[in-house]
Amino acid sequence: MASITPPPPMDHVSVGYQPLSKLITRLVQDTFNELTEVIEAMSQMPTSDSWNGHTRSHYQANHSTASDGEDDTPANVDKKMRLMNFAQQRRAQFIKILVLAQWSRHSDDVSRVIDLKVWMDKQLGLYDELSFWLVDLKRALGPAKQPNPDLNTALEVLSTGKVAGFPDLGYIPPPPLTPQQIRKTLRNLNVLLSIRLNLHETIPAAFEGFTINSGRVTFSVPDEFEVDVSIADEDPKSQFFFIDFRFLFQSASKELPPGRIRDEIEAKVNTVLLSDGLFGCYHFLHELVITHKINVLRKQAFEMSRNRWNEWIKIETVHRALVLQYWLNRPGAKSWIEIGVFSGKAKNVSSRSTESPTSIIACRWFPDGKEVKDAAIQLPRGDLSMESILKNVVAIHITRLLGSIRNGLYGAPSYSGRHLSLDQVQSASEPGECLLKIQLTPSTSTTLIVEPVTGRFALLPASPLSTRAEVELNNLKQPMSEGHRPLYNLRCALVMEEIDSRARCVGWEAWKTFAPKQDDLRRIFPRDTWRVAYFRRNGWRKDWTVAVSVGIGGEQWWIIEVLEAPIGYLLGDFERIPTRSVAGKAIDPTYGFLSHLAKVAAGMISNYVNIRALSRLGIQHALHLDSSLLGHLPTILIRFSSLTARSALDRNARSWAKELLKVRCVRVSPESGQVIMMTEARLLQPIPHLDLVRDRVDDDIVFHPPSGSFAFQVATTVGDPFIPQLHERLTRIGRLISFLKVVSRFNLACETISLGRIVFIYAPERGYKADLRFAGGMPVDLKLPQGNPHLRIRDFLVKLLNDGDDRGSLEHVMLMLAVTLPLMQAFDDIERTQAEAGTAVTQMFVLPRSAGWYQVRYTRPASIVDIQLRQRRREVKWFLRESAGRGGGGAGAGGGSSSNGHSTSRNHRPAALADALKALFNGRGQGWVGLRTGIAADIDGVPDLVRRLDRVLRDHSGADGDGDATMHSPPLDPPAPSVPPPSAPPPIHAPRPGRPARLPNAVHHGNRSNDAEVFVVPD
């Protein structure tokens, strides 16, 4: 029996083993380290002694079940738990070490099991390698197999000596063709191509313009490509073969260079020609050219992004589409264009249609994120230029922007009414030529442009205001709808700047610190108001201001009443100033306009306060409005009778003027700031002699004698009503008219005539003057120069002037001046003679009791004589008699005389004096006649009477027993005086027809019973 050979020994695996001692050492070291960390952590934890007594007692009270010797505080429990966890983890590790130590006792058996496992894995790997080797061996033995004999080919070769189906490998070159053969072949191809294309082929519409030459047909598509194809067989159904291809647009190479791209295009075209014919060839090449054009545009776009358009455009490619975003850093929505392929399919064409649509290059435009489908974007077909396309798009975008801004500005009446011009210049290819010319004010214009590259707005010419507007425009997120606002704000600021600078030059004062409340602003100004400025002028009242509001509706001027409040100001009444011309066109705030505006505003303020005053007084009035600043200011129409009824005018003033008074502002004084108001009126009846004073009255009043019209001016502070001044001036004019009628009636010569003064000569022979002064609302005063004989009765004349109406009073005064003049002259003559004689026994004193009653007193003999003016039967006479008081009743009173010639009655005068007086009272002289109890004298005869009386009394001055002083008087019948008395009274003595001459009531001052005494004037 043969012996069994033992198997070879297995390899012992010793790689990866570690000694057990090393593992135990590391576990012990790790346990020590962990214990150290636990002890340090426990040492940092709070101890039970750190608890206060209250907390500890409270804890022990809640945990009364614990034993007394055990510490159950949370800190102690936490320490115990941490130490127990450490011990438990370490215990588990040492248990594992114990298991490994017990397993190591059988390590030899385990090692042999491991070696066996490794050996078995190697055997399985050998089996796998064997199977792969057998497969590779089978593949390698395939070519070494002997093929079966090709009996058919062998029979053909043996019988014919050649094989028809054997390919020509080109080892033997064919003989070259002769030129004749080539020409014949090409002609045959041309004929075949012509016959086939005209009779057998359906040619695409784009290939209809073909040419045949040199054995090939050339199909040309304008601005796209040219392709040359030919045939290799006479069969009409045989395919065309690709010959050549050329691009027909610029910015691309004309022919395809030899290489892989040409080979791939040729192979693909031949494949399409085989399957789809000419239609497939056209569509393939058309799509190829479109794609190539888009790639060319993309390449140009990237070149633009590296040049002047850097950082302002962004290019993206999505499939075959080119997306170009422009104006990157502009606020708001994005703007971009998409250049891609449009399929050409119409929405209303059925999908079953046999027509094959042709795709084209199309451009979609998204300005501000919204697509615009009707934009006329011009895509070049032959000369590709991405910059031209972008310029065209940007030009259209700028045109739309400027157009929307122009339409927004047209919403303002200043532009919609063609008062200010807006001119837009458009260009489809050059965005730099697109601009908008804006007339901001009648004297200022600006040009709005958009920078093509950045898309930022710019205003030319540049200024601080325009720069601010540029910033506002460039920060807008929606310039299409909001772009006009910064421009109109610029216009408002420019208008305000022009108004402020020009207003200062013509005297206006800007009130920049004035800040009214918003409620007042909303109440006065329109809702579209953007800016408001306030102005005042020197000389105006502080409670009135002129405001200008600038808004979409244009400039509007206002007069506003300003009321002081405890805090700030309040706006009271207001009224808009009409500042439109007749055609409705806005007026340029020039220097002349602002100067004229001062007059208009002052006139309107004055009219307003005057109308308010008239309404408050209840005076009837009306306002005649004018529609434009170029015309006259509004005129106030006042009813004269209503004014006189409410005023302090005289009682009869309403009868001298017509009802209509016209009051209007004519000018404003630039020096004082006062407004000059003119009043126009007309007399009821023209005064015939009014032309006497036409050129001699005050400068502020003018008369038109033929029509009786007159006008006068009144200066008043702007804001103050002039109704009191109007009252006063009308009063003075009424008095002037009344006095002028009297002056005209008496034919008096006037030296001075004004609204408050008339100086006239009433005695031309003597040169006596009278000065009438009549201020409005004040009593009439009479001034007489020194030496005037009427000075002694001036007070009575003044009183007479102020009694009754003006005309009648002056008439009475003129009558009294004429009637009393001879008597006053006689008194002056006697007093002058008496003064020249020095100290005399007899002194005469004249005591006026009224303008028509004078009491003459003599000292020695003591006598009192009354001289009174009486009227009877339309005749005016002076009546002289002795006073009933001191001096007795006189000769006419029955006073007897004693035998010794002295008075024995109450007069007790000497008989000689009594006889002389009796003879005088019974006598007769030039212009006077004795009436026994008195003497009646004419106006011209009273001087002679007074002189005779004075002579009688002075001649008997010593008859009363004193007789130590006598006064020598002139003879009884003296010669004519050196200054003759007036020969006849002036024409004023003649009464008016149908009306008797009457003396004024002031003449009959004193005892009215004397007026009833009747005396007879002898013939």
Side-chain angles (χ1 to χ4, degrees), residues 692-698 749-754 759:
L692 297 175
V693 299
R694 178 174 54 188
D695 301 327
R696 304 173 63 182
V697 79
D698 296 352
C750 298
E751 290 186 353
T752 302
I753 298 178
S754 67
V759 179

Side-chain angles (χ1 to χ4, degrees), residues 485-674:
R485 295 183 175 272
L487 293 175
Y488 212 87
N489 193 13
L490 171 63
R491 179 187 179 276
C492 296
L494 202 59
V495 169
M496 283 298 185
E497 185 180 52
E498 289 185 357
I499 291 175
D500 184 73
S501 61
R502 295 175 182 177
R504 292 174 183 269
C505 296
V506 297
W508 289 95
E509 177 186 352
W511 196 359
K512 295 186 178 297
T513 59
F514 182 55
K517 297 182 179 180
Q518 293 296 325
D519 294 339
D520 290 339
L521 295 178
R522 286 191 290 267
R523 177 173 59 89
I524 297 176
F525 302 110
R527 298 182 61 184
D528 59 353
T529 299
W530 289 36
R531 296 195 180 192
V532 180
Y534 304 91
F535 298 92
R536 294 186 296 185
R537 289 184 71 92
N538 293 329
W540 289 17
R541 286 181 59 91
K542 299 301 183 181
D543 52 356
W544 283 96
T545 182
V546 173
V548 54
S549 63
V550 182
I552 297 179
E555 301 86 59
Q556 296 184 9
W557 295 83
W558 309 77
I559 56 172
I560 303 176
E561 186 178 14
V562 181
L563 306 176
E564 292 188 4
I567 300 178
Y569 295 92
L570 298 177
L571 300 184
D573 297 334
F574 63 92
E575 188 173 354
R576 190 173 66 86
I577 304 175
T579 55
R580 296 287 177 183
S581 63
V582 178
K585 186 176 181 181
I587 298 178
D588 185 13
T590 59
Y591 297 102
F593 168 81
L594 294 173
S595 299
H596 189 60
L597 182 68
K599 170 186 173 182
V600 175
M604 293 187 65
I605 293 174
S606 299
N607 286 348
Y608 193 87
V609 297
N610 290 324
I611 290 175
R612 188 165 58 184
L614 291 173
S615 301
R616 188 180 300 114
L617 295 174
I619 300 174
Q620 298 179 9
H621 64 280
L623 186 65
H624 178 65
L625 298 175
D626 202 332
S627 60
S628 72
L629 180 65
L630 299 180
H632 297 290
L633 287 172
T635 302
I636 302 177
L637 306 179
I638 304 175
R639 184 180 293 276
F640 184 75
S641 60
S642 178
L643 178 64
T644 55
R646 297 282 180 173
S647 66
L649 296 175
D650 57 274
R651 296 184 298 273
N652 299 324
R654 68 185 66 182
S655 61
W656 59 270
K658 292 188 177 180
E659 285 292 334
L660 185 62
L661 288 179
K662 297 181 179 179
V663 179
R664 60 186 177 90
C665 174
V666 291
R667 65 185 178 89
V668 178
S669 176
E671 295 80 9
S672 62
Q674 290 186 327

Side-chain angles (χ1 to χ4, degrees), residues 962-978:
D962 295 337
D964 53 350
T966 59
M967 180 177 180
H968 298 282
S969 301
L972 188 61
D973 295 324
S978 59

Side-chain angles (χ1 to χ4, degrees), residues 947-966:
R947 291 188 182 97
R948 287 180 178 273
L949 176 64
D950 180 75
R951 175 169 301 187
V952 169
L953 293 177
R954 290 183 185 277
D955 290 343
H956 297 82
S957 58
D960 57 353
D962 295 337
D964 53 350
T966 59

Side-chain angles (χ1 to χ4, degrees), residues 75-138:
N76 193 27
V77 172
D78 190 12
K79 291 180 181 179
K80 291 178 181 180
M81 290 299 299
R82 181 167 294 191
L83 187 60
M84 290 298 296
N85 291 335
F86 167 75
Q88 185 177 3
Q89 292 177 0
R90 293 294 98 185
R91 179 176 178 277
Q93 295 293 334
F94 278 101
I95 289 174
K96 293 179 181 179
I97 291 297
L98 178 62
V99 173
L100 291 176
Q102 293 178 356
W103 175 79
S104 64
R105 298 173 184 176
H106 306 282
S107 60
D108 294 338
D109 297 336
V110 175
S111 178
R112 282 195 290 270
V113 173
I114 293 173
D115 294 342
L116 181 60
K117 176 67 171 60
V118 172
W119 180 82
M120 292 180 64
D121 291 340
K122 289 182 178 180
Q123 294 301 315
L124 291 176
L126 292 176
Y127 282 113
D128 293 335
E129 291 180 0
L130 178 61
S131 61
F132 285 117
W133 181 80
L134 291 175
V135 173
D136 291 339
L137 179 62
K138 181 179 179 181

